[in-house]
Amino acid sequence: MLTWKEVIRFSVKGNPTPDQRVEKSESEWKALLTPEQFRISRLKGTERPHSGALCSIHEAGKYNCVCCDTPLFDSTIKFESGTGWPSFTQPIKENAIKYEKDSAFGMVRVEVMCNTCDGHLGHVFPDGPEPSGLRYCINSESMKLDKE
């Protein structure tokens, strides 16, 4: 189970090696994604709170990257954070997520991306439920639910 200390270590010293890499040109991503998916996942945008289609869905399945279909989160670790974005306590695998320090907008946060294709997902915070204490705050537009 990942902890905040490990998240910070990854963001400072380097991320785990992904199982594979997917790289495409900007025009290839634009052809594959909707304009909103492209804005959020490739240009590091965000959706308005409580606007994402996956916020209130609690069906069994895997939440995969909208860009490359890599499994990122399992529905069993999704929780209601009250923030307006889908929230998770752990990635599906330690090497599914890439972490980077984000100093934008006058604050310091940890950005999370798909470690396979570098698609922007959202941010992780140390205020989630036990046992990990982590809250992965993820844009709905960055994921798709693969129902079981």
Side-chain angles (χ1 to χ4, degrees):
M1 175 176 308
L2 283 173
T3 65
W4 183 245
K5 183 177 178 181
E6 291 167 313
V7 165
I8 296 301
R9 183 174 44 84
F10 286 143
S11 72
V12 172
K13 297 190 177 209
N15 289 285
T17 302
D19 292 341
Q20 64 176 344
R21 288 286 302 155
V22 173
E23 297 183 21
K24 296 182 184 296
S25 68
E26 184 174 321
S27 60
E28 288 173 311
W29 288 124
K30 280 185 176 180
L32 179 70
L33 303 168
T34 69
E36 188 69 349
Q37 289 169 335
F38 181 82
R39 182 185 73 80
I40 291 170
S41 65
R42 306 316 305 177
L43 302 178
K44 300 181 186 262
T46 192
E47 58 202 19
R48 289 185 333 277
H50 305 285
S51 67
L54 299 177
C55 278
S56 58
I57 290 177
H58 296 285
E59 297 177 51
K62 306 278 188 269
Y63 289 84
N64 296 348
C65 177
V66 73
C67 299
C68 68
D69 205 33
T70 295
L72 302 169
F73 301 99
D74 189 275
S75 62
T76 60
I77 47 99
K78 186 176 185 207
F79 71 99
E80 285 294 333
S81 66
T83 62
W85 289 275
S87 296
F88 303 88
T89 59
Q90 288 284 304
I92 204 161
K93 289 173 65 175
E94 183 176 280
N95 69 345
I97 302 295
K98 179 178 183 178
Y99 304 88
E100 282 189 7
K101 181 179 173 183
D102 176 2
S103 303
F105 305 111
M107 59 183 124
V108 178
R109 303 178 290 177
V110 176
E111 178 188 3
V112 290
M113 294 161 284
C114 173
N115 204 17
T116 300
C117 72
D118 297 335
H120 172 74
L121 303 170
H123 293 84
V124 61
F125 302 94
D127 60 2
E130 293 300 327
S132 75
L134 298 176
R135 173 175 56 92
Y136 288 80
C137 192
I138 308 298
N139 290 289
S140 287
E141 291 288 338
S142 296
M143 301 181 296
K144 56 186 173 183
L145 177 60
D146 184 11
K147 298 177 187 177
E148 293 180 344

